[in-house]
Amino acid sequence: MTFGRLVWKDLLRNPLRLALTVLAGAVGVMAFIFLRTVVDLFYSSAESAQADRLFTRAKASITADLPLSYLPRISTVPGVDDITFYGFFGGRYGESQRDFFGSAFVDPPSFMRVFDELVVAPQQVAAFEADPCGALIGKDLAKRYGWKPGSRVTLKGTIYPGEWTFNVRGIYDVRTGTLDTNSLFFPFRCLNEKLPDERKDRVGAFMIRVEDPSRSAAVSSAVDAMFANSPYPTRTESERAATLGFISMLSAIITAVQVVATVILLIILLVIGNTLAMSVRERTRDLSTLRAMGFKRGRVMMLVLFESLAIGLASGGLGVLIAPPLVRGFVAVVGSQMGGLPADFMRESTLVLGALAAVGVSLLAGIIPALRAVRIPVAEGLRKVA
Amino acid sequence: MIPLYYNTRSLWARRVSTGLTVLGLGLVVFVFSAVLMLANGIESALASGGDPRNVILLAEGATSELMSNVERDALRALGSAPQVASSAEGEPLVAGELVVPVLLPRGDGQESNINARGIGPESFAIRPTVRLVAGRAPRMGTNEIALGEALVGRSPGAHLGGELVFAEERWPVVGVFTAEGGAYESELWVDVNRLGPAFDRPGLSAVVVRTSSEQARDAFIKNVKDDPRFTLEAKSEPEYWAEQATWLATFIRVLGLFVSFIFSVGAVLGAMITMYAQVAARIGELGLLRAVGYRRRSVLASILIESAVLGAAGGVLGALGALATRWMEIRTLNFQTFAEVRFGFTPTPGIVVAALVFGTLMGTLGGLLPALRASRLSILDALRA
Amino acid sequence: MSTAPGQEAKSPLIRLRGVSKAYRRGDIVVPVLENVDLDIEAGTFEAFMGPSGSGKSTLLNLISGLDRPTTGVVEVGGQDLARMNDKELSDWRAGHVGFVFQLYNLLPVLTAAENVELPLLLTPLSRAERREHVAAALEVVGLGHRMGHRPPQLSGGEQQRVAIARAIVTDPDLLIADEPTGDLDRKSAEQVLDLFEVLHHELHKTLVMVTHDPHAAERADLVRHLEKGLLQ
């Protein structure tokens, strides 16, 4: 029998206990991955924000408007390659919370140019640009309500009172980026014409594409400087900065989730540590026998650490396998309660992190039992009854 | 029938194992209780912003003051309704208010959206839960503001005697108020006739009315609904605020319970491992008990009770830990109102009981299989072991 | 003179007829006892001796209700143990047998008094009554002053004496001892055997003992030898 075989047989000493420990570890890894994914979800929008887009809105308040007349003026700022605008419409579809989805007015041609991550069939683009009250809807939204080109959608206005009907002209998907596939976009014209004079020609924000992303800061300052002394000063920042700013308002929740993820690792540590402690207690006599025969301390410690490593690998592997369906399940459950959420979303790096955490925690859990196993004097260890 | 002290002392005899398991169970119970307390905290924070005799009127279809636009001329008509109570000076208790989120710098370098509420002269009187604790109410016709207590210190200048700067104007802080933990405590209040023009908003978000009694309130709501002049939605303040909390509270509950459920599986497995070990270590003792005449089911019950005790200990530990969070405060963005809210962990007796039950249940579940094994042992093999 | 059925003067407490016991190891069947007939009178002190594997412990297990025969009748005090199910056997043992084991089998987390009390918890006695019985039993074995100590704090001999106290506390008909002196030094063994004599002569208990120890066997009224499952 080789050392390797000894190690393997030793591991299988108590298969039930081993299985339960691996299972508990796997559950922990799964929960850890799940929570990290939730955090990733928050940050994903920032990370995939386009580097070459800037976001200009009213400095005073997030709900304040800007005059449409700013658009040609912003175009003259050096470094500005293209520009579009949009405004949050806030229409309601059904009665309950679940039926809420985002709706906004846009200028179709420039919108399609600046938001080039949108993927829409060309004939649908043409139809959208041609119909004054046409609508472009996200693919998840279309799936949820079964809408297709030709469907008519009526929204109840909240910010702009009344009932507003749109004709679905196209369905979009996104390649990457900050837009979700649960929104509805329609041309500004459709809304603007029907507004009273004092509310006309006001938009929510401008999206600017810059020629050179490294000059974003300079262009932003230039735009803001242009309107600094006007009645409606602006605040321009890169899309990424804007999203990160938004996320920071949720920082408390994000921190809480991260804390809980750490707590899980602690729980796994405790469960595995418990098992290893029991295991070492049982094996004291056997391990002392090995030492009596001449095995050095280091080798004996390796026996214990090997057990913890095996548990870590098995837990990590199992956890990584179970996590993706679990996350999908959660998104489905939450989505049914609270309106759409971004679909499928698990990062490989998170899975790897989970597996590494499992191995790391297991090894950590094994250190103290391993040390205790070799600390006891050989003669005493030989006398121990399990 | 096997005495309980046998179980407790046996758990104590293997304290390291018992301790680790109780700690693990305790952590799970802690997360579970903390989450429930948090969701509860959000709901109480926001719900306590409402007085049952007050009615808030929004634009039809609007779910939140933020997305609602109400014309000013509705004020007079609404104020003249018979159910509206009067102030000490005989004025109808009605106010037109405008809510605008303002971006203010935070202490940590980031920014938050804070709700600025443009108020009318009667706004303070309409809301008896709102009380000035320092300084005075802002004067109408000036840029003076009163800060909700949660905002004090959150931004440079956010204190009595300080000054906030936004919308290209300066707003001196002349008072601080509390609102029994409700959402108003995270707002700043100022004359609506100064706030509106600063943000180029000629209209209002909502009209708030105080009625003379709860029956009067119901009558008032009904009249508004039936009146063709108004395209407004009326609801009682408590109902409105409860709705504002829904999304965030639900999200936290769902996330938290989902996570707790997963954790609990891990903890039950941990308890199972410990109890299997307990049974294995005491197989001789259990054999003796059977030899002496204790029945299988007494042994089963004994082990189950032992695991229940383990679970209950975890439950107590976790619940105590969770109760300790009541001194913590969280601030985050509430998507529905789009402004920052402050809330804490609010315990209820129900949550504490749930925590204890949850812990005990987890322990007992973990002990089920080991208890079955213990009851099925062959007496002779056990005695020989 | 007519006597009641089954009642004669000195009728045997224990009657075995045609008793066989075999164990199954995998698909091999190992016979341990074959067709044993045995009578043990009430109030006697009997010892079984024999080499390992002779079946003496098995015989003891059958008499004490810890195991059931493959075939045959095991009558103790008029009741056939072979016919009882697990529940009935448990209840029977609680009321009729006291055990003394080679390794004492005390619960280490309980005190001496609590260990002795264990069988009493299966009776309807009140706490005060139980305490009296425990004190009395511990007095008989001479360990009244060590009631509050736990097994790890007692010597081997003392532990065995506590076990004896536990065995007699419910005043059972039958005392079963499996290698009671096997793990004891000479002096402690003598003390235990002296106690057995007291229980036998003064308290008129029926004692059935399995042993390798000739000193122990000496004290018995009757010694039976077993070889390969058969009584000699």
Side-chain angles (χ1 to χ4, degrees):
Chain A
M1 178 163 76
T2 64
F3 189 70
R5 283 211 70 186
L6 172 67
V7 158
W8 181 244
K9 281 177 169 240
D10 222 8
L11 190 67
L12 296 175
R13 209 175 40 256
N14 189 338
L16 177 63
R17 189 173 64 197
L18 184 68
L20 289 178
T21 308
V22 166
L23 217 61
V27 166
V29 169
M30 200 165 69
F32 176 78
I33 291 176
F34 168 72
L35 286 174
R36 295 277 325 179
T37 303
V38 168
V39 173
D40 287 344
L41 212 78
F42 282 117
Y43 280 106
S44 70
S45 41
E47 284 164 23
S48 55
Q50 303 237 353
D52 61 350
R53 276 209 301 247
L54 304 178
F55 182 54
T56 299
R57 56 183 167 80
K59 181 173 172 200
S61 165
I62 204 162
T63 56
D65 298 339
L66 289 174
L68 184 56
S69 59
Y70 278 15
L71 189 143
R73 293 173 64 187
I74 297 177
S75 311
T76 66
V77 172
V80 172
D81 186 37
D82 202 349
I83 179 171
T84 186
F85 64 84
Y86 77 88
F88 185 59
F89 178 65
R92 257 169 72 169
Y93 180 62
E95 282 311 309
S96 82
Q97 198 75 273
R98 296 170 210 197
D99 290 323
F100 186 76
F101 54 84
S103 47
F105 57 77
V106 297
D107 171 53
S110 56
F111 179 67
M112 298 303 301
R113 287 194 319 262
V114 175
F115 283 89
D116 55 359
E117 68 265 38
L118 292 177
V119 177
V120 189
Q123 64 272 36
Q124 291 182 355
V125 174
F128 175 49
E129 291 182 6
D131 183 348
C133 285
L136 185 69
I137 61 178
K139 98 171 179 258
D140 280 329
L141 191 62
K143 195 154 77 166
R144 198 178 356 150
Y145 294 106
W147 291 332
K148 350 189 250 302
S151 306
R152 281 168 75 80
V153 177
T154 304
L155 296 179
K156 198 166 180 177
T158 52
I159 307 176
Y160 304 96
E163 302 229 321
W164 303 81
T165 304
F166 308 101
N167 313 306
V168 175
R169 291 294 172 204
I171 299 183
Y172 73 85
D173 196 356
V174 285
R175 258 181 292 121
T176 86
T178 54
L179 287 180
D180 61 83
T181 49
N182 258 311
S183 302
L184 181 149
F185 299 104
F186 63 89
F188 185 43
R189 259 196 296 174
C190 190
L191 171 71
N192 204 29
E193 284 167 3
K194 302 179 188 122
L195 291 176
D197 282 339
E198 63 271 15
R199 291 190 79 184
K200 267 191 173 38
D201 295 338
R202 304 191 65 87
V203 302
F206 297 98
M207 293 297 283
I208 300 169
R209 170 137 58 210
V210 292
E211 280 162 350
D212 180 3
S214 63
R215 295 199 59 239
S216 308
V219 175
S220 303
S221 315
V223 172
D224 290 339
M226 185 178 262
F227 303 104
N229 295 312
S230 75
Y232 312 104
T234 59
R235 185 197 162 81
T236 308
E237 54 191 349
S238 75
E239 197 179 87
R240 187 189 179 120
T243 328
L244 278 174
F246 177 67
I247 291 171
S248 76
M249 295 185 208
L250 297 165
S251 64
I253 302 256
I254 296 177
T255 310
V257 171
Q258 286 172 324
V259 164
V260 171
T262 314
V263 164
I264 300 175
L265 292 181
L266 221 69
I267 297 181
I268 303 176
L269 194 78
L270 289 172
V271 172
I272 297 180
N274 188 19
T275 297
L276 289 170
M278 279 187 231
S279 167
V280 164
R281 255 203 305 269
E282 283 166 11
R283 291 150 89 187
T284 309
R285 197 161 49 170
D286 300 341
L287 296 173
S288 299
T289 306
L290 286 173
R291 283 172 63 203
M293 288 194 285
F295 279 86
K296 299 231 183 60
R297 282 199 153 94
R299 278 235 153 173
V300 173
M301 276 184 69
M302 259 174 58
L303 264 179
V304 177
L305 284 173
F306 185 81
E307 183 172 350
S308 60
L309 183 67
I311 294 175
L313 286 170
S315 303
L318 196 60
V320 162
L321 260 145
I322 311 179
L326 184 83
V327 171
R328 272 197 280 275
F330 174 71
V331 171
V333 165
V334 168
S336 72
Q337 285 299 310
M338 302 198 298
L341 279 187
D344 211 30
F345 191 72
M346 175 94 65
R347 292 200 185 168
E348 265 152 28
S349 58
T350 305
L351 290 173
V352 168
L353 186 67
L356 283 176
V359 171
V361 166
S362 310
L363 283 173
L364 201 70
I367 289 182
I368 295 186
L371 283 171
R372 290 183 82 190
V374 296
R375 219 178 32 159
I376 191 169
V378 177
E380 197 181 315
L382 286 172
R383 276 203 300 269
K384 281 259 197 252
V385 179
Chain B
M1 280 209 303
I2 296 175
L4 185 63
Y5 54 76
Y6 173 58
N7 301 114
T8 52
R9 287 191 219 162
S10 298
L11 283 173
W12 181 251
R14 290 168 66 92
R15 332 187 232 295
V16 170
S17 219
T18 302
L20 288 174
T21 309
V22 167
L23 212 60
L25 287 166
L27 274 170
V28 178
V29 171
F30 171 74
V31 169
F32 170 79
S33 328
V35 161
L36 287 181
M37 281 167 55
L38 196 61
N40 198 29
I42 295 170
E43 282 173 345
S44 341
L46 291 178
S48 67
D51 186 298
R53 279 165 52 186
N54 290 356
V55 178
I56 183 168
L57 298 114
L58 301 170
E60 199 183 17
T63 47
S64 156
E65 282 174 299
L66 223 68
M67 303 212 292
S68 162
N69 264 307
V70 173
E71 302 300 320
R72 284 182 179 254
D73 35 5
L75 259 182
R76 174 149 309 181
L78 287 167
S80 63
Q83 301 90 355
V84 177
S86 296
S87 71
E89 293 81 31
E91 295 293 325
L93 286 172
V94 61
E97 297 183 345
L98 173 71
V99 178
V100 178
V102 173
L103 205 61
L104 289 176
R106 274 202 320 229
D108 62 2
Q110 301 283 11
E111 296 169 314
S112 333
N113 274 321
I114 303 293
N115 273 350
R117 181 178 295 270
I119 58 173
E122 305 299 337
S123 289
F124 274 94
I126 290 176
R127 298 191 175 83
T129 58
V130 175
R131 266 187 285 272
L132 282 161
V133 293
R136 54 178 171 74
R139 278 177 302 179
M140 297 294 110
T142 69
N143 270 16
E144 290 177 353
I145 62 177
L147 285 182
E149 204 254 331
L151 293 180
V152 173
R154 284 289 284 173
S155 196
H159 55 87
L160 186 60
E163 196 176 67
L164 293 179
V165 178
F166 55 83
E168 314 303 298
E169 292 186 31
R170 316 181 90 87
W171 311 80
V173 180
V174 301
V176 174
F177 61 85
T178 58
E180 297 186 1
Y184 299 128
E185 271 184 23
S186 301
E187 293 179 351
L188 65 92
W189 285 16
V190 65
D191 180 6
V192 64
N193 293 321
R194 305 293 294 196
L195 191 70
F199 287 88
D200 203 35
R201 296 277 298 268
L204 304 169
S205 301
V207 174
V208 189
V209 152
R210 186 170 181 72
T211 58
S212 44
S213 70
E214 290 192 31
Q215 294 92 303
R217 173 200 72 197
D218 294 334
F220 179 78
I221 291 177
K222 186 169 180 312
N223 288 352
V224 167
K225 200 162 150 188
D226 296 339
D227 192 325
R229 288 180 296 168
F230 303 124
T231 48
L232 298 173
E233 239 172 67
K235 43 178 89 139
S236 75
E237 260 193 346
E239 193 188 330
Y240 171 72
W241 284 111
E243 285 170 11
Q244 301 307 303
T246 333
W247 199 94
L248 196 57
T250 309
F251 178 70
I252 289 182
R253 268 208 193 92
V254 169
L255 183 64
L257 289 178
F258 200 76
V259 164
S260 293
F261 170 69
I262 300 175
F263 281 20
S264 70
V265 173
V268 166
L269 287 168
M272 207 182 288
I273 294 171
T274 299
M275 289 311 298
Y276 266 125
Q278 284 275 12
V279 167
R282 283 150 51 199
I283 201 101
E285 296 172 29
L286 297 171
L288 182 279
L289 287 168
R290 293 275 289 127
V292 156
Y294 284 89
R295 294 203 202 147
R296 280 199 215 282
R297 62 169 194 234
S298 300
V299 170
L300 178 73
S302 181
I303 302 296
L304 268 180
I305 290 173
E306 191 165 320
S307 53
V309 167
L310 203 65
V316 168
L317 191 67
L320 283 175
L323 286 175
T325 59
R326 66 188 309 205
W327 288 278
M328 275 174 53
E329 251 179 21
I330 304 231
R331 289 170 208 268
T332 193
L333 186 70
N334 181 0
F335 286 108
Q336 282 172 293
T337 60
F338 222 75
E340 201 180 75
V341 278
R342 175 181 77 167
F343 46 88
F345 293 84
T346 310
T348 67
I351 292 176
V352 173
V353 169
L356 292 173
V357 168
F358 183 48
T360 308
L361 203 67
M362 282 195 288
T364 312
L365 265 170
L368 202 63
L369 291 177
L372 277 168
R373 176 184 276 198
S375 71
R376 296 228 186 101
L377 56 80
S378 130
I379 304 178
L380 294 176
D381 289 338
L383 288 172
R384 254 194 285 265
Chain C
M1 178 164 74
S2 65
T3 50
Q7 275 208 312
E8 302 169 277
K10 292 198 85 182
S11 70
L13 178 66
I14 301 171
R15 277 179 76 228
L16 271 65
R17 291 288 178 272
V19 168
S20 301
K21 177 76 189 178
Y23 290 108
R24 184 169 256 121
R25 296 235 180 281
D27 33 320
I28 309 173
V29 174
V30 180
V32 181
L33 290 175
E34 277 188 86
N35 227 340
V36 173
D37 288 343
L38 178 63
D39 279 352
I40 297 179
E41 307 291 331
T44 54
F45 181 177
E46 298 211 5
F48 291 123
M49 294 186 80
S52 288
S54 57
K56 56 192 193 300
S57 287
T58 305
L59 195 55
L60 204 65
N61 291 337
L62 292 176
I63 292 170
S64 58
L66 285 178
D67 200 359
R68 267 175 292 179
T70 314
T71 57
V73 169
V74 178
E75 250 183 42
V76 181
Q79 292 178 284
D80 185 3
L81 302 189
R83 295 263 198 82
M84 293 187 192
N85 65 28
D86 185 82
K87 186 164 95 87
E88 290 164 334
L89 277 174
S90 296
D91 290 343
W92 182 83
R93 288 195 304 273
H96 293 91
V97 189
F99 289 94
V100 181
F101 297 104
Q102 179 173 358
L103 294 176
Y104 336 127
N105 281 17
L106 295 176
L107 270 53
V109 298
L110 301 185
T111 64
E114 285 164 347
N115 268 289
V116 173
E117 195 184 7
L118 274 176
L120 291 174
L121 294 172
L122 293 164
T123 67
L125 294 174
S126 74
R127 185 191 287 196
E129 289 171 318
R130 292 201 299 264
R131 238 181 295 189
E132 272 176 39
H133 280 75
V134 166
L138 282 169
E139 275 305 317
V140 169
V141 305
L143 284 174
H145 58 295
R146 300 277 257 157
M147 283 201 205
H149 287 95
R150 296 195 184 177
Q153 298 164 305
L154 302 172
S155 73
E158 287 170 329
Q159 287 187 59
Q160 192 61 300
R161 282 151 64 198
V162 170
I164 294 172
R166 178 184 65 197
I168 62 175
V169 78
T170 51
D171 204 22
D173 310 324
L174 182 57
L175 285 175
I176 299 287
D178 193 347
E179 307 275 8
T181 57
D183 237 51
L184 300 175
D185 60 85
R186 198 68 262 141
K187 179 157 170 272
S188 304
E190 292 298 314
Q191 273 182 321
V192 163
L193 293 169
D194 289 341
L195 264 174
F196 278 175
E197 289 206 345
V198 166
L199 295 175
H200 173 224
H201 288 128
E202 290 177 37
L203 299 178
H204 306 294
K205 299 283 179 205
T206 310
L207 263 142
V208 180
M209 177 174 69
V210 155
T211 187
H212 276 134
D213 181 1
H215 293 274
E218 257 170 26
R219 314 275 196 125
D221 292 340
L222 182 59
V223 180
R224 298 181 204 255
H225 291 271
L226 277 117
E227 286 229 20
K228 296 192 188 160
L230 297 167
L231 267 177
Q232 307 302 316

